[in-house]
């Protein structure tokens, strides 16, 4: 086994879970720099290796800032282990002609499953029932409130990309009535399209957030939107925390101004809004929609193909990865 | 408002949740006898009213025994608020020519939603994640085990009635590979059929139980079946607890001989197997798959139509109710 020359070093930031899971396999194929394995602060580590780094492989929670990018003169490629790339300074990448690619559709279905699971859980109080049974509250307190049926509910999907489409397919099979908003109307989709979030929420009992976090979508779901959704309305978010104004969401949930929420993502991960911990109508999971065994294997293959292509000067993003050449 | 004559009294046993929810509306329409509102023991209450009772309306957990039936000479009709009628002595009803009817399909979709919700919850550890976040274990313990993808999993459905079909439709939309066993092969169903549970489990990663509890299905899911399902196998039960040998299920789960379980029903309700309370791969809900607002309203309408038909000597079971004229 020959180690690739130092000049093709790939800086790993995070590290992504897939990297930890497949570290041995990855390390046999590529020359990775692993800052978390040295005592050096990150900026010093980067300064030491600055002339060797031609690519970055980063997790969803490792910022790739303008400062980092500017300190790496040979950087040509940033590859995210996530679908969202809001943690990468896309403006600076565009200015420098650095290609940015994401995880493509490697775990779209896994995340869609999570959205559906969270929704059913909130609406049918599964985690709440589980807690009551295991805490021996049941059967002492048998008159638990009635739950709700999914069929017939109007579900507004915010962002109908790969994940949004998988969510729509799943919920349609449960009898939900689907509509969506998105930057543009999708040409081959028959679900009703609303051009704005305000029109969508006015026609929805449930909102499922599955769009990218951008300047345009930051805090798009605010108190005004939530009040229209109303006291029985439910929000599910499997995209990025900051698409919702979390402070206002907490307020609406605590006051009972919306009916419930299923959240896999948060505005300041890994911090969770503690005011929600006591609410049985709120289900919180630690951003693990994508972390299935199968997705991890798919992602490993996807990352290897993209890094191979980059190192052999072949086109990138042809393996299901989206390329982001600016915003 | 005229109260119907005493001779058409309907004995309510339980009472069913739908009765409690719509008691006022029900009581305006029919002449119900409510034993739980008197200090008399049930058998004395029944003895007092024995000549007036022409129908029984019972919950899923109120046994309608041979003894009760024999003490009611005018009994002609037993109407269950549940789909399962295993709590009614069907032999004695048949002998006496008493018609037995159930809740029909009034909440089949609700129960199917519950099955899907429990399955996603177990496979993607939603209740477990929710517990860890709310107990502040996260983010201290960030390396939670990988979960699994639903797509591609082979799901064996045990009993492809109304509920089973709704479950199949939902899981097919999630990319699961469906097959089933049932008393007979369904003529218009394209999913592969296995004539025995042993053949089904040998070809399944997940078992979903949605059949009736009968003498034939009692303890059908035993240790032998579970060992074939294997260490990563998952069982979901939304039908009746005693279809599974619960003692053996607990043993298999505690020893890690199967991968997880989502259970809405138990062998000795309202008692739950406490050995499972500490297992994060087991989700327990208190038999509330059917108790949605919408199902409750549907069931109210269904019960009224059936009681109206019975009291006017019209055919029963024409409103989606199944009739059981023996086993």
């Amino acid at each position: 086994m020959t180690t690739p020359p130092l000049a093709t070093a790939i800086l790993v930031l995070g590290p992504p879970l897939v990297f930890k899971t497949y570290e041995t396999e990855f390390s046999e194929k590529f020359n990775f720099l692993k800052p978390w394995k040295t005592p050096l602060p990150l900026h010093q580590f980067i300064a030491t290796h600055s002339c060797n780094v031609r690519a970055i492989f980063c997790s969803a929670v490792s910022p790739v800032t303008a400062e980092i990018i500017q300190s790496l003169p040979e950087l040509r490629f940033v590859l995210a282990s996530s679908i969202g790339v809001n943690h990468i300074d896309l403006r600076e990448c565009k200015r420098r002609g650095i290609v940015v690619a994401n995880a493509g559709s490697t775990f779209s279905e896994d995340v869609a499953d999570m959205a559906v699971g969270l929704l059913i859980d909130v609406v049918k109080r599964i985690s709440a029932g589980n807690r009551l049974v295991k805490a021996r509250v049941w059967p002492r307190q048998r008159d638990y409130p009635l739950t709700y049926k999914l069929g017939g509910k109007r579900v507004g999907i915010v962002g109908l990309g790969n994940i949004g489409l998988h969510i729509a397919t799943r919920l349609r099979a449960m009898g939900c009535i689907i509509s969506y908003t998105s930057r543009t109307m999708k040409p081959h989709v028959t679900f009703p399209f609303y051009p704005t979030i305000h029109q969508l929420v006015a026609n929805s009992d449930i909102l499922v957030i599955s769009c990218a976090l951008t300047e345009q979508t930051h805090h798009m779901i605010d108190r005004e939107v939530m009040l229209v959704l109303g006291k029985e309305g439910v929000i599910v978010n499997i995209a990025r925390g900051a698409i919702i104004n979390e402070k206002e969401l907490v307020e609406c949930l605590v006051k009972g101004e919306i009916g419930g929420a299923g959240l896999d993502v948060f505005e300041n991960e890994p911090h969770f809004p503690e005011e929600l911990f006591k609410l049985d109508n709120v289900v919180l999971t630690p951003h693990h929609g994508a972390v299935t065994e199968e997705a991890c294997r798919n992602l490993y293959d996807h990352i290897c193909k993209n890094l191979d292509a980059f190192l052999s000067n072949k086109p990138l993003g042809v393996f299901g990865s989206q390329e982001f050449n600016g915003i």
Side-chain angles (χ1 to χ4, degrees), chain A:
Chain A
M1 183 79 40
T2 56
T3 306
L6 270 183
T8 61
I10 299 154
L11 175 65
V12 182
L13 297 178
L17 181 66
V18 65
F19 190 84
K20 288 189 277 185
T21 309
Y22 287 100
E23 182 164 354
T24 310
E25 295 85 340
F26 267 129
S27 299
E28 284 173 0
K29 286 175 178 259
F30 305 104
N31 174 29
F32 288 109
L33 298 174
K34 304 167 189 174
W36 68 96
K37 295 207 170 171
T38 77
L40 291 179
L42 182 62
H43 72 277
Q44 272 188 39
F45 182 91
I46 289 177
T48 311
H49 297 278
S50 62
C51 294
N52 293 330
V53 174
R54 290 186 58 215
I56 288 177
F57 175 40
C58 60
S59 79
V61 292
S62 309
V64 180
T65 61
E67 192 190 347
I68 291 178
I69 296 166
Q70 284 158 14
S71 65
L72 298 169
E74 301 302 321
L75 185 66
R76 297 287 176 273
F77 185 34
V78 178
L79 181 54
S81 68
S82 54
I83 298 177
V85 292
N86 51 288
H87 57 303
I88 301 169
D89 191 319
L90 297 178
R91 243 183 253 280
E92 184 62 18
C93 288
K94 186 174 184 186
R95 200 185 64 76
R96 281 268 306 275
I98 294 166
V99 174
V100 177
N102 72 351
S105 58
T106 46
F107 46 74
S108 301
E109 289 180 80
D110 306 84
V111 176
D113 289 348
M114 191 70 178
V116 175
L118 282 170
L119 177 55
I120 304 178
D121 194 320
V122 172
V123 169
K124 293 190 71 82
R125 300 186 208 269
I126 293 181
S127 290
N130 184 52
R131 185 184 73 73
L132 288 175
V133 168
K134 290 184 176 176
R136 299 178 172 76
V137 175
W138 217 272
R140 278 184 288 126
Q141 181 191 315
R142 295 198 64 178
D143 285 337
Y144 203 60
L146 292 172
T147 66
Y148 296 95
K149 180 177 180 173
L150 265 291
K153 292 286 177 298
R154 301 168 305 160
V155 178
I157 298 186
V158 182
L160 203 72
N162 253 324
I163 295 176
L165 272 172
H166 284 304
I167 294 170
T169 307
R170 284 154 171 72
L171 293 180
R172 185 174 52 184
M174 304 187 77
C176 295
I177 301 154
I178 309 291
S179 61
Y180 74 104
T181 188
S182 204
R183 271 171 296 196
T184 53
M185 190 170 158
K186 307 285 169 184
H188 303 294
V189 167
T190 54
F191 302 121
F193 167 73
Y194 293 102
T196 70
I197 182 68
H198 297 94
Q199 287 167 278
L200 183 73
V201 73
N203 292 282
S204 299
D205 304 307
I206 291 162
L207 282 185
V208 180
I209 317 299
S210 56
C211 61
L213 173 60
T214 64
E215 285 175 13
Q216 289 72 43
T217 65
H218 182 265
H219 283 195
M220 175 174 56
I221 310 297
D222 57 11
R223 184 173 165 78
E224 190 188 336
V225 169
M226 288 184 258
L227 291 183
V228 176
L229 192 62
K231 287 190 179 188
E232 299 200 337
V234 171
I235 293 182
V236 169
N237 191 3
I238 46 73
R240 283 292 178 269
I243 298 164
I244 303 180
N245 183 322
E246 193 168 285
K247 188 162 163 279
E248 295 180 1
L249 172 67
V250 167
E251 196 186 327
C252 285
L253 283 165
V254 168
K255 288 185 177 171
E257 291 170 333
I258 63 170
L263 308 171
D264 192 40
V265 289
F266 304 89
E267 196 156 356
N268 301 300
E269 293 178 22
H271 301 290
F272 303 92
E274 303 212 353
E275 301 92 326
L276 304 181
F277 286 7
K278 290 197 172 169
L279 301 184
D280 266 352
N281 56 333
V282 179
V283 181
L284 310 174
T285 48
H287 201 153
H288 71 179
V291 296
T292 66
E293 296 247 0
E294 296 82 354
C296 207
R297 179 76 218 182
N298 279 352
L299 185 56
Y300 168 74
D301 291 340
H302 171 87
I303 298 297
C304 288
K305 283 182 184 164
N306 266 285
L307 291 177
D308 272 333
F310 171 68
L311 295 174
S312 357
N313 294 313
K314 288 183 186 153
L316 300 170
V318 290
F319 308 109
S321 194
Q322 282 175 268
E323 277 187 48
F324 297 86
N325 292 310
I327 47 178

